[in-house]
Amino acid sequence: MMILRRIVTVAVLTGLASTGMAAPRAAPENWIGVWGYVIAPPAPGPAPAPIAPPPPPVTPLGTPPVPVPPPAPRAFPPPLLENPGNVPVDTLTTEIRNMTVRQLVRVSAGGTRLRLRFSDEDSADPLTLGAVHVGLAGADGAVIAGTDRAVTFDGRSGVVIPASAPALSDPIDLPTKALDRLLISVHVPGPLSLRAPRTLFQYVAGSPGDFTAQAALPGVRLMRVPVLVTLVESQPTAPTSVLVTLGDSITEGAASTANAFRGWPDRLAERLAPRHWAVVNAGISGNRLLRYGAGPSALARLDRDVLSVPGIRGILLLEGINDIGRGLGSANSTEPVTAEALEAADKQIIARAHEHGIRVIGATLTPYQGASYASPAGEAVREALNTWIRTSGAFDAVVDFAPVVADPANPLTFAPAYNDRDHLHPNDAGYKAMGDAVDPAVLGK
């Protein structure tokens, strides 16, 4: 009887195979997002034609016009940059080709394995990645000995990412702890233009070739390079939830010290790590709620940049100041905005997130009097929107950022200790104050 049962079992399995039926799938793996940076696809429609200056007027048979010398280049303050070892900073190179680039990230939760999401979503051309490696970050763009790991894509060492698409790597056996810094090394056959709008300071080898497996890059320099890695995923060592911070430059961390991880989401990640919450930053400088602004609007990119992050349980939303400034900061604006329209956009984000069981925390807009696009009309809209955020009950919880960084003598502007450049973006101290102001209770249970 036992022999007969075995024969029947084999026959059934053979029959399943012959009919093309798939074997049962393995249990799904648990991945969560632990670091993020959002790229910005171009606005829909044809690209605008470049604006060429008109030729100087000339009179036939007259005196040739005197050449006008070009204006002197505008002087910008030196970048705020954490640069251990004083690595040379290259601001003149405009393209890299056959070079090795190292992107610095900091994971907000620990895990046993990693997975990397690369993006070509802002390009109409395929993107070739040669060899890719990842390891724990040491000083000066060097990888800590013994931590280097080769990264593969379906078992291959490189990948050609289709135009306007991302690519997810194979799992990488590299244990990490919360707040570990990683260096992700990519050989870019090129060419890769460095004039893309979404760039970070990254380490670049001074010689052509593939140095992804080397601990230190030869002739290393720091350059602003388009971001290739947009999400780091981890298999957590303990149950961990993910908070995605959705916003504009104030969420991205503009005016904070580059490569130092001092934006308010970074500070919040430090505070939440012991509570088994990871933080993924989805801020885009110039972003808006309702219209394209240095990237698709928050409404347009919500699914791609936020709801798709694995492990997400909460969204902290801080957005709208660019809608107000761009819409009301000029008498000739063609993009007006009202508090009611911004409230409706927030309600849309809340409804779409709730469909996925995701909690939404609203944050009040920080002061902006003195900023280049500030206006009395815009201030009235900011105050109306903030009042609605605080009192409407539309959000699952509220973080009141506005008074945290405001000048007590004039709540319409930043406290001097928290803003030293443009009356719009906090400095490192201001971002720390914001990150410290978030009560972990707003995350819920």
Side-chain angles (χ1 to χ4, degrees):
M1 180 64 69
M2 184 64 67
I3 295 175
L4 179 60
R5 286 180 180 172
R6 289 179 178 173
I7 293 173
V8 171
T9 301
V10 171
V12 170
L13 293 177
T14 304
L16 289 174
S18 64
T19 59
M21 295 178 63
R25 291 184 178 180
E29 296 178 331
N30 179 33
W31 292 94
I32 62 167
V34 292
W35 178 90
Y37 185 88
V38 178
I39 52 86
I51 300 176
V58 295
T59 301
L61 301 180
T63 303
V66 177
V68 179
R74 182 181 174 187
F76 290 94
L80 298 172
L81 173 64
E82 185 175 87
N83 183 5
N86 197 28
V87 172
V89 179
D90 181 353
T91 60
L92 300 178
T93 302
T94 60
E95 179 186 270
I96 58 176
R97 186 190 299 261
N98 187 25
M99 290 291 183
T100 299
V101 176
R102 281 189 170 160
Q103 182 175 335
L104 179 68
V105 306
R106 189 182 75 169
V107 297
S108 54
T112 57
R113 294 198 296 172
L114 297 173
R115 200 160 59 176
L116 308 177
R117 186 183 191 270
F118 293 81
S119 178
D120 191 33
E121 291 159 286
D122 57 349
S123 174
D125 300 310
L127 173 64
T128 300
L129 307 181
V132 180
H133 281 242
V134 63
L136 296 179
D140 305 346
V143 176
I144 295 176
T147 68
D148 178 72
R149 302 289 188 273
V151 180
T152 59
F153 303 84
D154 197 22
R156 301 176 178 87
S157 60
V159 66
V160 178
I161 306 177
S164 305
L168 199 61
S169 77
D170 299 333
I172 306 152
D173 291 323
L174 179 61
T176 53
K177 304 184 302 296
L179 308 181
D180 273 347
R181 297 188 181 197
L182 305 176
L183 285 167
I184 301 164
S185 307
V186 183
H187 175 231
V188 182
L192 181 66
S193 171
L194 304 188
R195 296 304 183 224
R198 304 288 289 149
T199 61
L200 290 175
F201 277 104
Q202 302 182 50
Y203 296 96
V204 181
S207 303
D210 175 12
F211 301 100
T212 54
Q214 293 195 12
L217 298 179
V220 65
R221 53 210 162 129
L222 278 162
M223 302 168 61
R224 291 206 70 107
V225 178
V227 172
L228 301 176
V229 181
T230 56
L231 186 67
V232 177
E233 300 179 5
S234 177
Q235 285 190 323
T237 53
T240 303
S241 302
V242 178
L243 175 72
V244 177
T245 57
L246 174 59
D248 47 43
S249 54
I250 297 175
T251 294
E252 183 181 335
S256 68
T257 302
N259 288 5
F261 306 102
R262 292 180 185 165
W264 71 260
D266 299 305
R267 174 56 184 158
L268 183 57
E270 294 168 359
R271 297 180 56 224
L272 295 182
R275 298 173 178 268
H276 300 296
W277 275 85
V279 178
V280 171
N281 192 330
I284 295 182
S285 293
N287 202 226
R288 292 191 274 178
L289 278 169
L290 297 170
R291 294 181 173 91
Y292 189 97
S297 71
L299 290 174
R301 67 188 184 91
L302 182 67
D303 292 84
R304 188 200 69 176
D305 295 342
V306 180
L307 302 183
S308 66
V309 175
I312 179 174
R313 284 191 56 199
I315 299 169
L316 207 165
L317 174 63
L318 173 61
E319 189 134 30
I321 198 66
N322 288 320
D323 296 80
I324 294 170
R326 293 275 294 273
L328 300 171
S330 168
N332 300 319
S333 173
T334 60
E335 301 174 332
V337 68
T338 63
E340 291 77 14
L342 298 176
E343 293 162 13
D346 284 354
K347 291 176 185 177
Q348 283 285 314
I349 291 173
I350 294 166
R352 289 164 61 186
H354 283 177
E355 286 183 331
H356 297 268
I358 297 169
R359 185 177 179 85
V360 185
I361 303 153
T364 55
L365 305 190
T366 50
Y368 85 131
Q369 187 181 77
S372 61
Y373 60 18
S375 69
E379 178 58 35
V381 172
R382 185 186 76 93
E383 293 182 27
L385 178 62
N386 279 355
T387 298
W388 176 83
I389 291 171
R390 295 185 185 106
T391 63
S392 68
F395 290 96
D396 298 296
V398 172
V399 175
D400 200 358
F401 280 145
V404 172
V405 295
D407 185 346
N410 177 12
L412 304 186
T413 192
F414 264 90
Y418 292 154
N419 180 284
D420 46 27
R421 290 202 171 199
D422 61 1
H423 302 282
L424 180 64
H425 299 99
N427 56 19
D428 287 352
Y431 282 126
K432 181 179 183 300
M434 292 174 67
D436 286 342
V438 179
D439 184 349
V442 301
L443 300 174
K445 297 180 179 179

